[in-house]
Amino acid sequence: MHTLGRHILAEIYGCDPSILNNRSLIEKIMVEAALEAGAEVREVAFHKFSPQGVSGVVVISESHLAIHTWPELGYAAVDVFTCGQTINPWDACNYLTEHFNAEHMTATEVKRGIFEEPVKVANL
């Protein structure tokens, strides 16, 4: 079996609420997580909600990292999707868990684009 990508759905619990409610800090940590995994960052977009919470996405050449936070619960829902074989999405998830000062993370990996034979992708 061959896959086009790996998609990690991470549940990060027991995070520092002050980090999860800080848009600029969340953006910085998310970009650093992408770089830590070896990804090439293309664009970032983050939004701070009132009274609390942050949502955002880091678009990478290899796909994306996305987050939504609930500071009042110390919880962050994260998704890291990487295409190709050179980027390890688990590196990004572990980086986020550490830098959110989280107590624990649970995650599921989904293989995306499963094929019997290797797929040759044409350059458009």
Side-chain angles (χ1 to χ4, degrees), residues 5-120:
R6 300 165 66 191
H7 199 160
I8 308 297
L9 304 174
E11 309 284 319
I12 307 177
Y13 296 97
C15 302
D16 181 332
S18 66
I19 295 171
L20 295 187
N21 206 36
N22 184 324
R23 189 205 60 79
S24 60
L25 185 54
I26 290 286
E27 180 177 326
K28 178 181 181 292
I29 292 170
M30 291 285 288
V31 168
E32 289 171 350
L35 296 172
E36 179 75 16
E40 182 179 357
V41 174
R42 293 297 187 166
E43 294 185 42
V44 298
F46 284 81
H47 176 78
K48 170 78 169 64
F49 293 96
S50 181
Q52 59 202 3
V54 174
S55 283
V57 63
V58 176
V59 178
I60 58 177
S61 294
E62 302 80 8
S63 196
H64 70 271
L65 288 76
I67 188 168
H68 187 76
T69 72
W70 285 263
E72 70 277 19
L73 301 175
Y75 169 74
V78 173
D79 120 19
V80 180
F81 184 15
T82 61
C83 299
Q85 305 303 314
T86 60
I87 308 302
N88 185 350
W90 288 104
D91 290 342
C93 290
N94 291 330
Y95 186 92
L96 294 171
T97 301
E98 178 183 341
H99 286 81
F100 293 163
N101 297 329
E103 292 174 7
H104 67 282
M105 174 202 33
T106 61
T108 302
E109 180 173 339
V110 177
K111 306 290 187 201
R112 304 295 302 266
I114 300 171
F115 296 91
E116 294 292 328
E117 298 294 326
V119 175
K120 292 183 181 180

